[in-house]
Amino acid sequence: MKKYFYLLLCAMFALSSCSNDDSEDNPQTESEEYTGKLSDLELLEDRLVETDSVGNILGYLVGANLNEADPTEISVPVNTYEEAVELFKKWLPEGAQLIEGDKKITWKMTDEGNQEEGETILKESTNPGEIANVTIRKASQTENAPIITSVKFIPFSAWPENSTAIEKYLEEKYYLGAEVEVTKNEGASTGTYVVIREWSPQEAGIMIRFSGDTWHAFWDGYKRDNCSSVGTTQTVSQVLHQGSNYDYFVNDYGPEHNWPDLHERFITKTITGTKIWQTKKYWFVRLDTGEAATFPNHAGAKSSYTKVYIYWFIPKGNSVKIW
């Protein structure tokens, strides 16, 4: 009898162990993920423009397109060359290896396989009315040109003025911390958004909201509708860490408005893989660090994620353009 009782206890212990291993809260399986290499060019473009699924430009995330004949050109107002350098470095992925010379910075870009992808060069400009410029080139001339090929840094004095009416509207409705009710689906999701960055001539404004739901990759799949790219989501992470933003939005605003833990994985729309096998990887970003990673899709991994919805806004005539 004692023997059977002992065997019963062993079986119960084994079942209990299996149950714990499969738990959603198991820290070993939940943290199983891979931090791979992303395309440098794709990340740069993600921080300059927002595009649709086929690469059409929805809006410019920095500066503005002042040359209607060339949508691949962006203009950004600055006061000095040093300010242009500061902005330029904000757009680059963390750890970008730069070659810096006399008033010139070169960034050799690589793709997912760490192969040469092209180069981005910032240099002081000798052109009238231009302080500096950025040129973006692909390594292979046979491929399609980059979505953005050049950025011109021009003096603030040459920047088109906005009307007093629109400036007042932005101050009253889209100030830092303002809650904006979006009732029409402009591309992300309807609901109440909070402005985490005001618009300026240098950068589009940003407002965000969270889905409030958590999905499990194995059971729910990758629910990526209306998700932003890796670079865009990393920009949000960057903004949340500027100045006292993290303390205000995360520590003060967040709990009151049911913001999730920013250490959670937030799904993005970026898919990478080889052209031959079409291997797909679904990427995620942790907003507390900006780290991008992917994780395996199998039952044991228990990989969970959530969503952050991102809207950008700029002045448009006598209103605000949201996308």
Side-chain angles (χ1 to χ4, degrees), residues 221-256:
Y222 296 99
K223 298 186 176 181
R224 300 165 52 253
D225 56 299
N226 302 326
C227 293
S228 294
S229 62
V230 169
T232 297
T233 312
Q234 287 179 328
T235 296
V236 168
S237 175
Q238 188 180 63
V239 170
L240 288 173
H241 284 80
Q242 289 175 356
S244 59
N245 281 358
Y246 201 84
D247 285 338
Y248 172 66
F249 286 115
V250 179
N251 298 332
D252 297 334
Y253 181 96
E256 184 178 343

Side-chain angles (χ1 to χ4, degrees), residues 13-129:
F13 178 78
L15 287 172
S16 175
S17 298
C18 290
S19 176
N20 287 338
D21 286 344
D22 291 337
S23 169
E24 293 282 351
D25 300 323
N26 187 316
Q28 260 191 327
T29 56
E30 184 64 22
S31 63
E32 184 182 4
E33 59 187 23
Y34 310 112
T35 53
K37 173 75 170 65
L38 286 146
S39 159
D40 285 337
L41 177 60
E42 181 182 337
L43 284 174
L44 175 61
E45 291 175 337
D46 286 347
R47 297 183 181 188
L48 298 180
V49 293
E50 184 78 359
T51 61
D52 61 18
S53 59
V54 293
N56 296 316
I57 296 174
L58 299 175
Y60 297 87
L61 310 186
V62 300
N65 172 246
L66 302 182
N67 180 5
E68 293 184 2
D70 185 4
T72 71
E73 177 187 294
I74 302 177
S75 295
V76 180
V78 293
N79 292 306
T80 63
Y81 171 78
E82 289 70 26
E83 188 177 355
V85 170
E86 183 179 354
L87 279 172
F88 172 70
K89 289 183 176 180
K90 276 179 60 178
W91 305 336
L92 307 185
E94 186 176 352
Q97 299 298 308
L98 306 176
I99 303 170
E100 301 195 41
D102 183 27
K103 300 290 185 177
K104 181 180 178 181
I105 300 174
T106 301
W107 177 39
K108 298 288 186 180
M109 299 180 292
T110 55
D111 61 17
E112 297 92 340
N114 215 31
Q115 300 299 307
E116 181 184 1
E117 190 174 30
E119 64 180 10
T120 297
I121 299 174
L122 165 73
K123 62 181 179 180
E124 188 175 40
S125 178
T126 57
N127 298 330

Side-chain angles (χ1 to χ4, degrees), residues 282-295:
Y282 296 82
W283 288 86
F284 305 81
V285 171
R286 297 188 191 276
L287 290 180
D288 61 341
T289 62
E291 180 186 23
T294 185
F295 51 70

Side-chain angles (χ1 to χ4, degrees), residues 165-175 178-179:
I166 190 63
E167 287 182 352
K168 185 177 180 181
Y169 180 72
L170 285 167
E171 290 174 3
E172 290 179 351
K173 303 292 185 180
Y174 293 86
Y175 59 87
E179 293 184 2

Side-chain angles (χ1 to χ4, degrees), residues 138-251:
K138 281 188 176 181
S140 173
Q141 299 302 316
T142 60
E143 296 181 11
N144 293 332
I147 298 173
I148 296 299
T149 59
S150 64
V151 179
K152 294 184 177 182
F153 292 99
I154 64 176
F156 261 101
S157 58
W159 193 255
E161 293 293 330
N162 289 294
S163 69
T164 304
I166 190 63
E167 287 182 352
K168 185 177 180 181
Y169 180 72
L170 285 167
E171 290 174 3
E172 290 179 351
K173 303 292 185 180
Y174 293 86
Y175 59 87
L176 193 66
E179 293 184 2
V180 179
E181 189 68 28
V182 178
T183 57
K184 179 183 177 183
N185 189 340
E186 304 281 351
S189 173
T190 58
T192 303
Y193 286 72
V194 58
V195 176
I196 62 169
R197 185 172 78 187
E198 295 179 353
W199 170 84
S200 77
Q202 293 179 335
E203 299 173 311
I206 303 176
M207 51 185 177
I208 65 173
R209 68 178 287 268
F210 296 96
S211 65
D213 297 314
T214 299
W215 288 273
H216 180 266
F218 183 77
W219 302 113
D220 300 315
Y222 296 99
K223 298 186 176 181
R224 300 165 52 253
D225 56 299
N226 302 326
C227 293
S228 294
S229 62
V230 169
T232 297
T233 312
Q234 287 179 328
T235 296
V236 168
S237 175
Q238 188 180 63
V239 170
L240 288 173
H241 284 80
Q242 289 175 356
S244 59
N245 281 358
Y246 201 84
D247 285 338
Y248 172 66
F249 286 115
V250 179
N251 298 332

